[in-house]
Amino acid sequence: MIVLFTDFGVAGPYLGQMKAVLYRDAPGVPVVDLFADVPSHNVRAGAYLLPAYVEEFPQGTVLLCVVDPGVGTGNREPIALKLDGRWFVGPGNGLFALVAARAKQAKAWRITWRPAQLSASFHGRDLFAPVAARLARGEPVPGEPVQVDRGKDWPADLCEVIYIDHFGNAMTGQRANAVPRGMTLEVGGWLLLYAHTFGEVPDGEAFWYQNANGLVEIAVNRGRAADQLQLKPGTPVRFVNGVMGTTNTF
């Protein structure tokens, strides 16, 4: 399958144009919309989201990932990576830094192929989608081996909000298995206790928990944490020890 991970949004032509290329060049290969709403232009947020979601996909999956504010410039190169048997195609701007760092087996290529017509501002459609289709068909990478260093100095975990979902829950870039459950999360002056799931706290109470993909997430039972706690991508969080959390009910 080909899995899409972008900041394009579902409105407008961009996602549809890119998918049309995939259906044209790799007919019969399923195309899965994973994220179309990675925070716009936010490469770092995308880099910490991506590794939390790849493990569910089998080897041979091609992940077409485009968060590319430097498109059309010399600030990044188009790359393809093979990480633990899965393919990743997109801009070499740091978007793959964390998923590559956590891989047991990693190879990378600079994509040297160019289409006859390459727009300055839509490499997702014109360059990355055709390459992803080639890989899905079992063809070799049209490029040359390369070392990818962009983003290697980023921390293993990121203690800030990186994504707001449809329900107003706020995902962070912190893996939950590295945080003791007795820790209190502090964000924007609020102190939040851990809960295993939503039904363990009263309606309207804010808490933190391990989401289904292993990240620390902030939620309000039957409410919108992003609105009620004024959270957005980039909002810092921290964990404190020995501090009693308060009941944050709205």
Side-chain angles (χ1 to χ4, degrees):
M1 70 184 80
I2 300 172
V3 176
L4 305 183
F5 180 93
T6 78
D7 62 349
F8 293 174
V10 295
Y14 308 114
L15 194 62
Q17 285 183 290
M18 192 168 71
K19 291 171 75 172
V21 172
L22 297 174
Y23 288 124
R24 180 196 69 198
D25 291 355
V29 177
V31 177
V32 175
D33 294 311
L34 179 59
F35 276 90
D37 60 345
V38 175
S40 297
H41 319 301
N42 195 330
V43 174
R44 189 167 70 164
Y48 284 89
L49 274 175
L50 184 58
Y53 285 84
V54 301
E55 291 300 322
E56 63 196 82
F57 298 110
Q59 292 191 2
T61 297
V62 180
L63 290 104
L64 174 52
C65 306
V66 188
V67 180
D68 197 12
V71 62
T73 72
N75 293 333
R76 95 292 181 269
E77 293 187 291
I79 61 172
L81 303 95
K82 193 170 189 181
L83 307 175
D84 295 335
R86 303 177 187 90
W87 289 102
F88 296 80
V89 179
N93 57 8
L95 184 59
F96 303 119
L98 274 296
V99 71
R102 296 174 189 176
K104 297 180 178 66
Q105 296 180 329
K107 294 181 179 179
W109 292 261
R110 178 189 297 111
I111 298 169
T112 56
W113 171 83
R114 296 293 184 272
Q117 293 185 334
L118 177 64
S119 65
S121 60
F122 200 179
H123 289 190
R125 178 195 65 191
D126 299 337
L127 180 59
F128 298 131
V131 171
R134 288 188 183 198
L135 297 177
R137 297 197 308 258
E139 298 181 16
V141 180
E144 58 189 18
V146 67
Q147 293 291 328
V148 178
D149 297 321
R150 200 77 169 267
K152 280 193 172 182
D153 57 341
W154 293 357
D157 294 276
L158 188 64
C159 282
E160 65 182 52
V161 174
I162 59 173
Y163 180 76
I164 307 297
D165 73 8
H166 168 75
F167 296 99
N169 303 326
M171 296 185 199
T172 76
Q174 171 66 56
R175 288 172 291 182
N177 60 10
V179 181
R181 298 299 181 258
M183 298 290 280
T184 298
L185 185 150
E186 182 180 358
V187 58
W190 298 99
L191 297 175
L192 308 183
L193 297 178
Y194 168 81
H196 180 66
T197 192
F198 290 73
E200 290 185 352
V201 302
D203 290 359
E205 183 167 323
F207 63 100
W208 75 269
Y209 73 110
Q210 176 176 329
N211 74 8
N213 292 88
L215 296 176
V216 169
E217 187 164 311
I218 301 165
V220 170
N221 189 22
R222 298 181 184 270
R224 295 184 59 84
D227 297 340
Q228 296 169 189
L229 277 66
Q230 298 183 352
L231 306 177
K232 61 183 180 180
T235 299
V237 304
R238 72 184 186 111
F239 287 90
V240 293
N241 197 9
V243 177
M244 293 299 296
T246 59
T247 300
N248 296 303
T249 303
F250 300 87

